Amino acid sequence: MTTGPGGATSGSTGPQQTRPAAASKPVRWAADAVATMREGARLRLDYSEQSLWRVDRVIDGIRRERPPYAAVETALRDLGAYAGEVIVRRTGGEWWATGGDHWVRTPDGRLWDPIDEARRCFAGDGSLRLLCRDASGAGHP
């Protein structure tokens, strides 16, 4: 079995199964975010790093409206998963899952938590665009 953070198993029977099993939910959540933004906000998300500027602005707009967290929890999860999928596609990383939590593991072995970063954005202390930049090593030779 493959182990994730804290030595917990990913629930797969081998390394080849880690990506599909761990990725199934966040990939679906990311697709939900794309569909919701296209239909509800008329915003096109194309899995590019640049699209995360728009996602950060969307979350900032939601925060300024001051809805209860419970009312936006699913949307934040979906937007975080979208950012994670941008990181996966940009870096060649993969999704990891343990105990219901989902992270992105980049090829350099670092773990990133884009879903939690979306929550921090909602709290006024985060940026999915900057997380992606850091995870992809932009600006590093």
Side-chain angles (χ1 to χ4, degrees):
M1 293 198 103
T2 306
T3 56
T9 62
S10 67
S12 67
T13 57
Q16 287 77 17
Q17 294 178 4
T18 301
R19 166 71 174 145
S24 61
K25 286 183 181 180
V27 168
R28 185 178 71 240
W29 296 333
D32 289 348
V34 170
T36 299
M37 290 295 103
R38 182 182 61 240
E39 295 164 13
R42 302 221 186 276
L43 193 70
R44 184 172 175 265
L45 299 180
D46 60 3
Y47 293 96
S48 68
E49 189 173 0
Q50 295 79 16
S51 70
L52 295 177
W53 280 94
R54 293 187 294 272
V55 173
D56 278 346
R57 286 196 311 264
V58 165
I59 294 173
D60 187 51
I62 293 169
R63 180 176 47 80
R64 281 189 261 129
E65 292 175 10
R66 298 182 180 188
Y69 177 75
V72 297
E73 183 175 11
T74 299
L76 293 172
R77 180 202 64 198
D78 293 355
L79 292 169
Y82 171 78
E85 193 58 20
V86 171
I87 294 168
V88 164
R89 292 177 184 200
R90 182 162 170 77
T91 67
E94 60 185 354
W95 282 101
W96 285 71
T98 296
D101 293 326
H102 294 82
W103 300 275
V104 170
R105 182 175 183 263
T106 49
D108 61 9
R110 294 182 295 169
L111 291 172
W112 305 89
D113 192 345
I115 295 171
D116 190 56
E117 188 70 13
R119 294 178 191 123
R120 285 197 300 277
C121 290
F122 179 68
D125 187 34
S127 169
L128 293 170
R129 177 187 60 83
L130 294 177
L131 180 77
C132 181
R133 185 196 67 188
D134 292 347
S136 63
H140 297 93

